[in-house]
Amino acid sequence: RMRNDWLWLGKDHQWRLTNYLATVECELDEMDTRYPDIWKRTMLENLLAFRFGAIKMAEIHAGLEGTGRTYMYRFDKGRVYANQPWAGAGHACENDYVFHNTSCVDYGPIDEGLADVVNAAFVNFARCGNPNGEDPDGKVGGKKWDEYDTTARKTMLFQNDCTTSLAEDPEKVARKTFLDSGAYDTYH
């Protein structure tokens, strides 16, 4: 059933939304029960507002041969909000980790170990254009961070449990449903 606030998609793309929402798994069953589809809808809105633009930019940059390296990441480590422990990672939530700002308490404490990893990756990238550093065997949180390309779409995940992993095309279903179909470009 389509709600009125999704009508901006237009009838030609509403089936894409319905199909996508049917594929999304919710991790927090209690919240999904209390607020049906809120996680699916929030995830989709996050993809539409932030993630798809980042993917499009990475695709463009990776396609410009000889102009620089492209690395993609997704920051999943949420903050512990006093009144919303389920809130997860919000927009720009990684900034305190990038700048190793462990004194920021506006959104709850940060994990120093993950801050060390994220900060080192960003400093390495700023210094030499590679988050792994200048050493060919360098790693980010124990994982080699491969460059992004439009085939493998390697993406470093900074996860909620403070670990890192390198994923291949982590938004594959959403990307194919909205980006590859042209639905995203129609409205952005």
Side-chain angles (χ1 to χ4, degrees):
R1 201 172 88 200
M2 194 63 55
R3 288 182 41 172
N4 289 337
D5 56 343
W6 290 99
L7 293 178
W8 61 269
L9 276 172
K11 290 183 180 185
D12 54 334
H13 293 300
Q14 285 183 10
W15 69 270
R16 291 183 196 288
L17 172 66
T18 303
N19 183 46
Y20 174 72
L21 291 177
T23 67
V24 177
E25 302 266 340
C26 291
E27 294 179 13
L28 299 173
D29 292 333
E30 177 188 338
M31 292 306 294
D32 192 43
T33 302
R34 288 176 46 202
Y35 304 101
D37 289 333
I38 192 169
W39 294 111
K40 296 175 185 181
R41 297 166 68 80
T42 300
M43 288 168 57
L44 177 61
E45 289 184 9
N46 181 53
L47 289 168
L48 290 169
F50 304 107
R51 192 74 190 150
F52 288 158
I55 291 171
K56 294 285 277 185
M57 185 63 71
E59 289 174 348
I60 292 167
H61 192 266
L64 300 173
E65 294 181 28
T67 59
R69 297 177 179 146
T70 305
Y71 294 89
M72 176 67 88
Y73 73 95
R74 190 180 76 199
F75 194 82
D76 295 337
K77 174 68 176 147
R79 300 303 281 279
V80 180
Y81 297 89
N83 60 345
Q84 300 173 333
W86 45 266
H91 176 60
C93 198
E94 73 273 23
N95 286 348
D96 289 333
Y97 291 84
V98 169
F99 296 105
H100 209 288
N101 182 10
T102 59
S103 64
C104 180
V105 293
D106 292 343
Y107 303 109
I110 72 168
D111 179 87
E112 283 211 42
L114 185 60
D116 291 342
V117 170
V118 173
N119 176 260
F122 276 77
V123 167
N124 283 338
F125 184 77
R127 183 178 295 141
C128 66
N130 186 337
N132 300 297
E134 296 181 66
D135 180 352
D137 296 322
K139 294 182 171 33
V140 174
K143 312 284 186 296
K144 184 173 183 341
W145 189 342
D146 294 331
E147 289 185 48
Y148 185 89
D149 62 46
T150 58
T151 303
R153 299 176 183 273
K154 297 284 181 135
T155 303
M156 181 62 74
L157 305 179
F158 296 103
Q159 298 169 160
N160 201 36
D161 63 359
C162 298
T163 62
T164 60
S165 67
L166 193 65
E168 193 167 301
D169 203 1
E171 285 85 28
K172 184 176 186 174
V173 172
R175 181 184 55 75
K176 286 184 173 231
T177 302
F178 290 97
L179 286 179
D180 293 357
S181 70
Y184 175 80
D185 292 332
T186 302
Y187 300 100
H188 287 83

